Amino acid sequence: MEHYNMNLNLKVWRQKNSKTNGEFKMYRVENISSEMSFLEMFDVLNEQLIAAGDEPIAFDHDCREGICGMCSMYINGKPHGPWQANTTCQLHMRAFKDGDTIVVEPWRANAFPVIKDLVVDRSAFDRIIQAGGYVSVNTGNAVDGNAIPINKDNADAAFAAAMCIGCGACVAACKNSSAMLFLSAKVSHLALLPQGEPERHSRVLNMVAQMDKEGFGACTNTGACEATCPKEISISNIARLNQEYLSASLVAEK
Amino acid sequence: MLDAKIPSGNLDNKWTDYKGHCKLVNPANKRKLEVIVVGTGLAGASAAASLGELGYKVKVFCFQDSPRRAHSIAAQGGINAAKNYQNDGDSVFRLFYDTIKGGDYRAREANVHRLAEVSVNIIDQCVAQGVPFAREYGGLLSNRSFGGTQVQRTFYAAGQTGQQLLIGAYQALERQVALGNVTQYARHEMLEIVMVDGKARGIIARNLVSGQLERHFGHAVLLCSGGYGNVFYLSTNAMGSNVTAAWKAHKQGAYFANPCFTQIHPTCIPVSGDHQSKLTLMSESLRNDGRIWVPKKQGDNRKPNEIPEEERDYYLERRYPAFGNLVPRDVASRAAKERCDAGYGVGSSKQAVYLDYAAAIERYGRTEITKQGRDLASVSKEEIIALGKDVVKEKYGNLFDMYEKITGENPYEVPMRIYPAVHYTMGGLWVDYELMTTVKGLYALGEANFSDHGANRLGASALMQGLADGYFVIPYTIGNYLADEIYNKPISTEHEAFAAAEKAVADRLKTLINIKGNTSVETFHKRLGKIIWDKCGMARNEEGLKQAIADVQQLKKEFWSDVKIPGAIDEFNPELDKAGRVADFIELGELMCKDALNRNESCGGHFREESQTEDGEALRHDDQYMYVAAWEYAGDSNWNLHKEELKYEVIKPSQRNYK
């Protein structure tokens, strides 16, 4: 792969805190290598801002290897930027060319209020998990790991759902700011395993109730969440969630 | 000499006897006892959840925006357990033995044996939580092998084992939050330990969103804050991983043990330029199927696929025929460095070796054809390779994708380029058998302590240790301390010790932000990293270490007179957070070099050039260094060395041999 350098214009959302209004500001960075990651390009910009006596741009990031789910930039109108199945930290500058203008915004959703610049508050996701996204098993209660064989297809499907990194890109991509893909991934993960069976009904009902309470929107099946998910969590999980919710509701009403 | 309070009796029975005789706290009293947990990785989340389940009042802190982001999440390859599901000769003793040997005989026998014992419970617990481990078609758990061992004892979930285990622990934790047993403080950073009458009684934490300092009381404080690999600047750690919590504890009297024992992981994606902010690991599990090689000719600039088989040097298979590509990490890393230093490195930087999957792809492809009941002779090579690629994709797909995203090269077609990078720190706060530091009531769990991995950690053992400490060790050992604390009511955070600790933190923050110098925090961190990597990295010598100590002291002076931190204290200010962490890394860096200088032997990840065999293998000096070096902080750039003698009652230390 040929490497190259580029000069870029950046249009970045700046907002001092949750109480003030924000605005876009323009910045220019030069001699950016195509081998850099997108966040390394932001590191360069921030060093430039600090040197000039300006405040650096606040953004969330931690592992920088696509698994912690902390990074959260809305780049050129797409959560995590132009690449498929990718997080912002794994986006590399070879995705851009010299002279490009790149627009960067925070996740946009009422349930994810802005803390500062590109940093948002995603604690609503923790509260959804608290509502039932677990198996109620205390430490020490477990039987032997091989006591219950699990059909490999189910185990694989549970794993595919459990790969969700909780970044919130699905919410940011959705025109309704729905958290259905996030929620359905957890419901599917646990519903597909025998360990999740005893709490299957209460889990889905409680988690959906918490999701509604947090102010996430409804699902209208546009599929934007699946298209943007860095871990390619399938929208079929939402179908399973609906099925789980329906059957749980029927049981609950009897 | 330090006393680790190891129970007497046979090694096999120590833990069982301990559990049978340690003090218990009755359920009504547990509700009155408060425990602070700092960090929410595998050790912290599992400890907080388990202690909450027992009925203690728990407060848990993390600097990330959610406990689920802690860096345990990035662990890829797997978790060891002595289940012997594969019937291949594994046992608790084997796991114990491999860990002691892998650690180059610098770990404590009793702790490691306990770790091997509880390893089997961890797998059961995780399965019960719904952790989706890889399974065979029969529905049972799958295993793979890992470096430094000859049995298949590693449980895994594709290349995301750490993620799945952490999500399991996180969910258990969130359940306790929902039940009101645990209070969660995300985006908070611990900045001081509060000491009252010689015991740890709480912490000062900074709310990273508002910048406000908070006082929190605890009858005991657990540090589960991970390792200090970011002292090197470039490492596979997350950007936020730091030593600050452990370092504050160290300055309050907790000894820091074996800081020079750092692990350089052999299979990482090489550095691409000065802009690099972190390094990415390619799981060690890739060494199961991949073959590592360099060209036989120095400075060979041909593309890898143009170099014929007979002109390739599979140097690990050549040097270590018994273990081949599966030698332990320290051995594999040094072998890669040796080849690159000798001029055989590949890629534009020449600081890389190849990790090649061509042979594995073909082997798997052939197996698939055989499984389909077809005759190999009638099948084209293309079809075999296509089928083989599918198998490799299922096993390692996410790792291959990650490699392609970072480098822009397709590892199914061309060999990956890899080079060693800082990955894990075996050193950490000194703890006794009960995981208590030298400060009463202050515990250290997981990577933050030093106890189980000696001078080198085996693959798939970090996840095991973090969860062992949190799920199965601390719930017992903390009771032995807290049973005597039931007479002590919670101390008001108005107590003068809290006020003094908060003032010390506030003063330090003010000092930092008022320096208003010209150099960014990042610049200082990079300079520190370069000093430590060059002089206290894969190879160390007396002259270099002395120079490094002088360089770090100079850097410290410059930092405290010239660092530039924008913004204010009472707001969301990541530069200020980072400045505090880098200031602590600088002090730790000096201690690391001091420890490396003291230990004039090579063992595990610590390679002193003065101490090697004729063919360049590490040479230990058991007569002089069979001890844990535990450093007591004694003021600016000053430490006193305390030793814990390592007594091997069961295993007879020998020079490691993987040939």
Side-chain angles (χ1 to χ4, degrees), chain B residues 538-554:
Chain B
M538 272 194 281
R540 301 142 181 203
N541 62 52
E542 182 182 344
E543 192 195 341
L545 289 165
K546 285 183 171 160
Q547 183 61 49
I549 290 172
D551 292 351
V552 174
Q553 285 173 346
Q554 175 60 29

Side-chain angles (χ1 to χ4, degrees), chain B residues 174-194:
Chain B
E174 294 307 296
R175 174 172 162 246
Q176 292 307 308
V177 172
L179 292 170
N181 299 326
V182 178
T183 314
Q184 174 175 307
Y185 297 85
R187 294 199 195 268
H188 276 65
E189 181 163 29
M190 189 212 97
L191 291 179
E192 192 56 284
I193 300 278
V194 180

Side-chain angles (χ1 to χ4, degrees), chain A residues 183-203:
Chain A
L183 176 60
S184 69
K186 189 46 62 195
V187 167
S188 289
H189 161 207
L190 296 173
L192 283 161
L193 296 172
Q195 289 82 7
E197 185 64 29
E199 296 164 286
R200 191 168 179 169
H201 296 314
S202 59
R203 175 181 305 118

Side-chain angles (χ1 to χ4, degrees), chain A residues 30-162:
Chain A
E30 293 179 347
N31 283 320
I32 296 296
S33 157
S34 61
E35 286 188 281
M36 281 185 194
S37 74
F38 195 80
L39 295 183
E40 284 165 351
M41 183 270 290
F42 257 72
D43 293 341
V44 170
L45 171 60
N46 272 347
E47 286 295 299
Q48 200 174 297
L49 290 173
I50 293 168
D54 293 330
E55 252 204 74
I57 299 162
F59 61 92
D60 265 333
H61 64 113
D62 201 24
C63 78
R64 294 205 180 186
E65 48 189 278
I67 194 75
C68 77
M70 195 130 170
C71 60
S72 53
M73 291 182 187
Y74 204 85
I75 301 161
N76 284 346
K78 282 191 74 177
H80 294 306
W83 285 358
Q84 278 290 307
N86 196 58
T87 54
T88 298
C89 66
Q90 295 296 78
L91 178 62
H92 277 65
M93 294 312 294
R94 62 178 186 276
F96 302 95
K97 56 184 196 300
D98 190 38
D100 277 357
T101 295
I102 306 174
V103 184
V104 187
E105 302 161 75
W107 276 182
R108 296 175 297 181
N110 277 341
F112 290 160
V114 171
I115 291 174
K116 183 175 184 175
D117 297 337
L118 304 173
V119 176
V120 299
D121 179 355
R122 286 168 288 189
S123 55
F125 272 9
D126 284 338
R127 290 187 293 274
I128 292 176
I129 298 296
Q130 285 160 21
Y134 45 74
V135 173
S136 295
V137 53
N138 282 0
T139 304
N141 275 343
V143 295
D144 185 84
N146 264 347
I148 310 172
I150 301 175
N151 170 295
K152 185 170 167 26
D153 291 341
N154 279 6
D156 288 350
F159 172 69

